[in-house]
Amino acid sequence: MIEITKEQLDAISDEEKTIIFLYTPFCGTCKLAKSMLEIVEKIIPSINIYTKDLNYIPEFAEKWKIESVPCLLIFEKGQIAEKIYAFHSIDYLYQKLKSFSTI
């Protein structure tokens, strides 16, 4: 996973598709979700999943109406296409994210 900066967050509208994993460091469920996403990255090596500690971007949390963490945001053409709060399983995440593969 790639740590994203505030400047990159501002430029999301320039991207065709973007995936961002939002977390907080003391959240146990976030750690489990991160592990699941790391496995998906190994299955789909061409995928780029960005990550950001929500504590450092409260203005984006408000703008995007984030309800809790972990949260996976899927952007298409600068707009939130989907917010995922329940990560269910590795297969579930794989099915959601396989279309982001560049292969």
Side-chain angles (χ1 to χ4, degrees), residues 75-91:
F75 286 86
E76 292 186 19
K77 297 180 182 176
Q79 300 296 314
I80 295 175
E82 191 167 358
K83 288 183 200 176
I84 299 172
Y85 293 105
F87 286 54
H88 302 291
S89 68
I90 293 166
D91 183 56

Side-chain angles (χ1 to χ4, degrees), residues 32-96:
L32 178 60
K34 182 178 179 182
S35 297
M36 293 167 71
L37 288 170
E38 287 171 344
I39 292 170
V40 172
E41 280 185 318
K42 288 178 183 172
I43 297 168
I44 312 170
S46 63
I47 197 170
N48 287 324
I49 300 174
Y50 296 96
T51 182
K52 191 67 179 172
D53 181 342
L54 197 61
N55 291 320
Y56 293 106
I57 54 165
E59 65 278 14
F60 287 97
E62 186 176 328
K63 174 182 171 182
W64 295 332
K65 297 177 176 52
I66 303 303
E67 297 171 22
S68 66
V69 290
C71 179
L72 192 66
L73 296 175
I74 300 173
F75 286 86
E76 292 186 19
K77 297 180 182 176
Q79 300 296 314
I80 295 175
E82 191 167 358
K83 288 183 200 176
I84 299 172
Y85 293 105
F87 286 54
H88 302 291
S89 68
I90 293 166
D91 183 56
Y92 173 82
L93 292 171
Y94 170 75
Q95 296 300 326
K96 287 284 186 184

Side-chain angles (χ1 to χ4, degrees), residues 21-28 30-31 52-55 69-70:
F21 172 63
L22 300 173
Y23 68 95
T24 57
F26 296 111
C27 166
C30 295
K31 290 178 178 150
K52 191 67 179 172
D53 181 342
L54 197 61
N55 291 320
V69 290

